[in-house]
């Protein structure tokens, strides 16, 4: 079962729909509708109930997909794949030992990534900071969690990161990670029961520039050094999330060191069981 958040035409009202092939069945409308469904005790039952009340179908191509969140914060987990550890060590010789330690430590690296206003959906532009010369996409499986930190679903995340800023000094991590349009989520949320077995889930990324594919990479969730349950447990220590939370689980796909996103690039991230998140790239301050 997959849910999308969408709008129709110029109407800004958000709707929630159940994906059924090339159509979407309206489940409900309103600012908190997605959260009300996801945070219920029986999500599938509430979706069926909403479907019975609303019920009309639309072609997916006729709607405008929105990022699948309402008031949820987005957090990230770092250095959960060995490839990511190596890349972070290459960013800064001074920080190499810190990244090696956190990869092997009991406590994971967890950081705040974005408020909902800083998140874009599929088809919308992610952004390179105006003061960054080395910016990369980070394709990640995202956990969708209820206020009680129950894992209710999965979506695709792109944790866009300014590697030069983080590499200059690890204390600059918030500036490297958190800014307008720094994160993309979508295109849908697949409920947990509908996902493939974790060991079988693959993540693929392609980057296109001037209509030519300039990078592609692939990895599997089985290569993660941390379990989802472990990350969720640490995230919930001394933290409450009244609106729920989305947790990015880290990246195992890292472009070469001489690569940086440029305005006009297109990033495609596909994850088994969810779909494909597509984002063009913009650079500089928002107008």
């Amino acid at each position: 079962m997959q849910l999308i958040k969408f709008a129709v035409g110029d109407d800004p009202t958000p709707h929630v729909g159940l994906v059924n092939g090339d159509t979407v069945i309206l489940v409900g409308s309103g600012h908190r509708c997605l959260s009300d469904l996801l945070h219920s005790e029986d999500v599938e039952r509430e979706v069926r109930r909403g479907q019975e009340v609303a019920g009309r179908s639309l072609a997916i191509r006729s709607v405008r997909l929105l990022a699948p969140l309402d008031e949820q914060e987005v957090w990230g987990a770092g250095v959960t794949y060995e490839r990511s550890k190596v890349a972070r060590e290459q960013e800064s010789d001074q920080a190499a030992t810190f990244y090696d330690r956190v990869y092997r430590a009991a406590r994971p690296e967890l950081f705040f990534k974005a408020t909902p206003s800083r998140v874009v959906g599929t088809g919308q532009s992610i952004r390179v900071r105006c003061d960054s010369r080395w910016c990369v996409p980070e394709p990640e499986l995202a956990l969708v969690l209820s206020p009680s930190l129950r894992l209710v679903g999965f979506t695709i995340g792109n944790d866009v990161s300014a590697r030069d800023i983080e590499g200059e000094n690890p204390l600059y991590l918030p500036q490297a990670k958190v800014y307008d349009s720094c994160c993309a989520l979508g295109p849908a949320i697949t409920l947990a029961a509908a996902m493939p077995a974790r060991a079988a889930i693959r993540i693929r990324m392609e980057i296109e520039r001037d209509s030519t594919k300039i990078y592609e990479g692939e990895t599997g969730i089985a290569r993660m050094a941390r379990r989802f349950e472990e990350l969720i447990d640490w995230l919930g220590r001394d933290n409450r999330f009244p609106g729920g939370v989305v947790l990015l689980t880290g990246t195992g796909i890292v472009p070469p060191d001489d690569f940086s996103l440029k305005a006009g690039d297109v990033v495609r991230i596909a994850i088994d069981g969810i779909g494909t998140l597509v984002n063009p790239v913009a650079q500089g301050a928002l107008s």
Side-chain angles (χ1 to χ4, degrees):
M1 182 177 284
Q2 281 194 310
L3 300 176
I4 59 170
K5 185 172 180 178
F6 66 95
V8 180
D10 296 328
D11 185 351
T13 304
H15 303 279
V16 176
L18 173 66
V19 177
N20 181 23
D22 294 331
T23 64
V24 55
I25 303 170
L26 186 64
V27 176
S29 301
H31 177 63
R32 280 194 48 84
C33 181
L34 180 62
S35 294
D36 290 342
L37 290 169
L38 293 174
H39 301 165
S40 62
E41 288 300 317
D42 189 332
V43 180
E44 293 191 19
R45 182 187 64 192
E46 290 303 311
V47 170
R48 287 192 294 270
R49 182 179 299 170
Q51 177 184 340
E52 291 171 1
V53 173
R56 66 189 180 101
S57 297
L58 299 167
I60 286 184
R61 65 178 181 276
S62 70
V63 306
R64 177 164 45 90
L65 294 178
L66 305 175
L69 79 171
D70 294 331
E71 301 171 355
Q72 292 93 333
E73 296 176 354
V74 181
W75 283 64
V79 201
T80 57
Y81 292 78
E82 185 174 12
R83 179 66 187 91
S84 179
K85 175 183 79 76
V86 172
R88 294 301 175 266
E89 290 173 344
Q90 290 171 344
E91 283 174 359
S92 170
D93 292 337
Q94 292 177 323
T97 56
F98 294 109
Y99 290 113
D100 182 64
R101 287 176 183 174
V102 79
Y103 180 73
R104 304 176 190 284
R107 182 186 295 270
E109 180 195 12
L110 295 171
F111 57 88
F112 179 79
K113 174 61 183 179
T115 54
S117 67
R118 294 180 170 91
V119 179
V120 301
T122 193
Q124 297 178 296
S125 294
I126 52 175
R127 203 163 54 81
V128 177
R129 282 186 62 117
C130 59
D131 55 359
S132 173
R133 298 176 306 282
W134 184 16
C135 184
V136 297
E138 297 189 6
E140 309 189 15
L141 182 66
L143 312 182
V144 180
L145 307 174
S146 72
S148 64
L149 296 183
R150 178 167 52 94
L151 176 57
V152 295
F154 297 83
T155 190
I156 302 172
N158 188 347
D159 173 19
V160 186
S161 300
R163 290 187 63 183
D164 53 343
I165 294 175
E166 181 181 357
E168 184 177 346
N169 190 316
L171 295 180
Y172 294 160
L173 180 68
Q175 296 176 72
K177 293 282 190 180
V178 185
Y179 56 91
D180 290 327
S181 306
C182 66
C183 179
L185 295 175
I189 292 174
T190 300
L191 297 189
M195 281 292 288
R198 295 182 189 180
I201 299 172
R202 305 291 295 176
I203 303 175
R204 304 166 186 85
M205 181 173 71
E206 295 182 356
I207 303 172
E208 182 181 288
R209 180 173 295 164
D210 298 327
S211 301
T212 300
K213 183 164 58 179
I214 59 171
Y215 176 80
E216 62 180 338
E218 180 176 345
T219 192
I221 298 303
R223 299 183 68 87
M224 281 185 62
R226 309 256 183 193
R227 296 180 300 110
F228 299 154
E229 293 78 10
E230 175 189 359
L231 296 174
I232 294 168
D233 174 68
W234 280 99
L235 180 66
R237 298 188 185 191
D238 293 279
N239 256 326
R240 290 182 297 168
F241 300 96
V245 62
V246 176
L247 176 60
L248 306 175
T249 57
T251 188
I253 304 174
V254 181
D257 290 351
D258 60 356
F259 173 85
S260 180
L261 289 172
K262 293 183 179 180
D265 290 352
V266 177
V267 180
R268 292 182 174 86
I269 302 169
I271 298 183
D272 295 332
I274 303 174
T276 304
L277 174 66
V278 182
N279 297 101
V281 177
Q283 186 160 15
L286 292 175
S287 57

